[in-house]
Amino acid sequence: MAVTEITQQATRLDELIADQEAGFMERQKKSAATQERAREFLAGGVTSNWQISRPATIWLSRGSGSKVYDVDGNEFVDMHGGYGVMAVGHAHPAVVDAVSRRIQQGSHFAQPTEDAIIVGQELARRFGLPLWRFGNSGTEATMDAVHLMRAVTGRDLIIKVEGTYHGHHDSLQVSVYQEEPEIGPADRPNSAPASAGIPSAITDLTLIVPFNDLPALQRTLEERPGAIAGMICEPIMMNAGIIPPDDGYLQGVRDLTREHGVLLAFDEVKTGITTAPGGAIERYGVVPDIVCLAKAMGGGLPCGAIGGSREVMEAIAEGDYEQVGTFNGNPLTMAAARAALTIALDAAAYEHFEHLQRLMVVGCNEIIAEFDLPAYVLA
Ligand code: PMP
C-alpha cells in the first residue's frame, strides 16, 4: 500500500473515531455525567483501569440474555461479555434460580458446601484432571499455579510466553505489552516488568520465550538445567488478538517440559469452558500438570480454579503449599458455577457457540471483502 493511501486511511479512521465519539456523547449523556460523579470517590472514576475508555466509560444498569442496557437506556448486543465471562448470557434463569435459592440460606461461611464437590466433579470430567481447588479470579488461579509449581519442584524459575497476560501478580506481570527497546530480541525476549510497582527482583525469576517457538523453549530449558520449576502458557493466545498454537506446538511443549522435569500449567482462564466444554485441553488433546480456570466457569460470579494431576495436587493436600483464601469455594460462586456448568452450558449451548462463530466469520469476511479492508478473520 502506498504511503499516501495509508495516510488517507489513517485520516479517515480519525474522522470515523471523532464521529463515533460525538455520537456517544450525544447518546450517553448520563454515562458521561455518572463518570464525573464517580471521579469524586473512585480512583480514575472507575472500578478497574480497564474500564477507563474514550470518550467516557459506559455505565450499565442491567443485562438480559445477549443484551445489556446502559444508564441512558440504550440497548446493546453484548459482544464484550464481561471479558468472556458471560458465556451463559446475562441473568440466565438457571443461574438466577441457583443463586437466589442459595443466598436465602446464607452467602458465606468459609466452610465448604456440597456444590463445590459437584463443580469439582464436573471440571474433572471436562478437563481430565482429577483434583481441584477454587479461588476468586484468574489472577489467583495463575498465582496458585506458579506457587504450586515452585512448591512441588523446590525451584524458583518460571517460563512464560512473551506478550501473554495471566493476571496482575508479580511473577507473571512480565513481558506483557512491552514497547521497544524493553521488549528485547525476538528470539530471547526480556523479562521486563509490565508496569510500575512490579519489582525486577521477582520478574528476573521469570524467563520469557516466544510463542510457537519450540527451539527457543528447548534452548531455555537446556540453559538452566535443574533450576526451572515450570512453564505457564495460554494454549491459544487470547490477549494479543487470537493466536492459535501451530500444529504440534502444545505437544512439543508437553514433551520438552516433561523431558526436563519441568511442570506445565495451561492458563485456560479465557479458553477453558468457552472454546469447548473441556477448553483447549479437549480441543488439542494435550494435558498439562495444572490448568487455571476463571471467567465463564462461574456463570458471572467472581471465580477461579486450579485443577491438577494427583502428584501435583498432593502438595496442596499435604499442606506443602497452602492454597487458601477466605472466599475460596464461596457458596454463591459454587451455586452459580454448578448451574452454569451442569445446566446452562450443555451440548446445545456449545453447538450454539459454533453457530454464532460461523455467523461472525462469514459476516466479518463479507465486510472485509466489501470494503477491501486490510484485515483477516481467524476462526
Ligand atoms: N489469564 C488470562 C488469560 C486472562 O485473560 C485474564 C484476564 N483477562 C487473567 C488470567 C486474569 O483474570 P482476572 O482478571 O480474573 O484476575
Side-chain angles (χ1 to χ4, degrees):
M1 198 184 290
V3 175
T4 45
E5 201 183 329
I6 293 173
T7 316
Q8 277 166 3
Q9 286 198 0
T11 312
R12 175 80 188 115
L13 197 58
D14 285 343
E15 284 166 8
L16 283 171
I17 291 170
D19 199 44
Q20 289 296 313
E21 288 188 348
F24 175 96
M25 295 311 281
E26 188 52 39
R27 215 172 40 238
Q28 277 138 291
K29 292 199 168 86
K30 208 165 166 188
S31 259
T34 310
Q35 173 83 78
E36 282 314 308
R37 240 178 73 214
R39 273 186 215 288
E40 200 180 340
F41 299 108
L42 305 178
V46 289
T47 60
S48 157
N49 274 31
W50 292 337
Q51 295 162 2
I52 298 173
S53 53
R54 268 178 63 188
T57 299
I58 299 178
W59 287 74
L60 294 183
S61 59
R62 67 191 177 90
S64 176
S66 62
K67 308 279 179 13
V68 287
Y69 302 84
D70 68 11
V71 290
D72 288 274
N74 297 301
E75 179 184 276
F76 302 85
V77 175
D78 186 5
M79 309 293 271
H80 183 228
Y83 289 111
V85 167
M86 298 313 302
V88 296
H90 297 284
H92 189 289
V95 176
V96 170
D97 180 51
V99 173
S100 310
R101 277 190 292 115
R102 180 64 254 177
I103 202 164
Q104 290 174 36
Q105 297 172 308
S107 53
H108 182 71
F109 311 113
Q111 287 297 117
T113 51
E114 279 184 40
D115 282 340
I117 306 173
I118 309 296
V119 176
Q121 183 182 11
E122 173 61 10
L123 293 175
R125 186 187 73 78
R126 287 178 178 234
F127 290 88
L129 285 164
L131 290 172
W132 292 80
R133 274 292 178 90
F134 302 109
N136 306 284
S137 67
T139 296
E140 285 182 41
T142 62
M143 184 182 72
D144 275 330
V146 168
H147 290 166
L148 188 53
M149 294 194 291
R150 288 178 168 152
V152 170
T153 58
R155 303 169 188 162
D156 286 342
L157 298 180
I158 294 291
I159 298 179
K160 173 193 176 286
V161 169
E162 180 185 25
T164 49
Y165 179 74
H166 294 290
H168 56 280
H169 59 97
D170 296 0
S171 294
L172 298 179
Q173 271 286 52
V174 192
S175 178
V176 180
Y177 306 115
Q178 313 307 135
E179 304 279 343
E180 287 272 37
E182 270 185 342
I183 199 164
D187 64 336
R188 202 183 272 271
N190 289 339
S191 298
S195 74
I198 309 294
S200 56
I202 304 279
T203 60
D204 285 349
L205 298 175
T206 304
L207 311 172
I208 305 300
V209 295
F211 192 54
N212 275 334
D213 189 340
L214 290 173
L217 174 60
Q218 179 163 9
R219 193 193 60 218
T220 306
L221 289 164
E222 284 170 356
E223 280 173 358
R224 314 282 183 116
I228 300 171
M231 171 169 178
I232 185 162
C233 67
E234 275 190 289
I236 306 169
M237 276 185 71
M238 299 294 285
N239 289 301
I242 292 177
I243 309 178
D246 289 345
D247 285 349
Y249 175 70
L250 295 177
Q251 189 59 53
V253 170
R254 177 67 284 189
D255 295 344
L256 279 173
T257 48
R258 199 165 264 153
E259 208 176 289
H260 287 80
V262 164
L263 294 171
L264 177 62
F266 279 174
D267 175 353
E268 292 228 46
V269 164
K270 275 194 166 162
T271 55
I273 316 297
T274 51
T275 53
I281 291 182
E282 175 182 332
R283 231 181 146 104
Y284 295 100
V286 177
V287 185
D289 301 292
I290 301 170
V291 66
C292 306
L293 300 178
K295 297 201 194 278
M297 178 205 126
L301 269 82
C303 65
I306 52 170
S309 65
R310 287 191 190 283
E311 299 72 37
V312 166
M313 298 302 268
E314 195 66 14
I316 293 179
E318 296 293 320
D320 297 335
Y321 172 53
E322 295 270 355
Q323 197 274 343
V324 293
T326 301
F327 286 104
N328 288 10
N330 169 263
L332 291 184
T333 298
M334 291 297 106
R338 178 181 178 166
L341 294 170
T342 66
I343 303 173
L345 294 170
D346 58 5
Y350 287 95
E351 274 165 35
H352 187 57
F353 293 160
E354 297 284 330
H355 167 69
L356 293 176
Q357 190 211 23
R358 280 193 295 275
L359 283 183
M360 287 288 287
V361 169
V362 170
C364 288
N365 274 330
E366 277 172 10
I367 292 189
I368 288 169
E370 186 180 342
F371 294 97
D372 194 21
L373 298 175
Y376 63 94
V377 178
L378 237 170

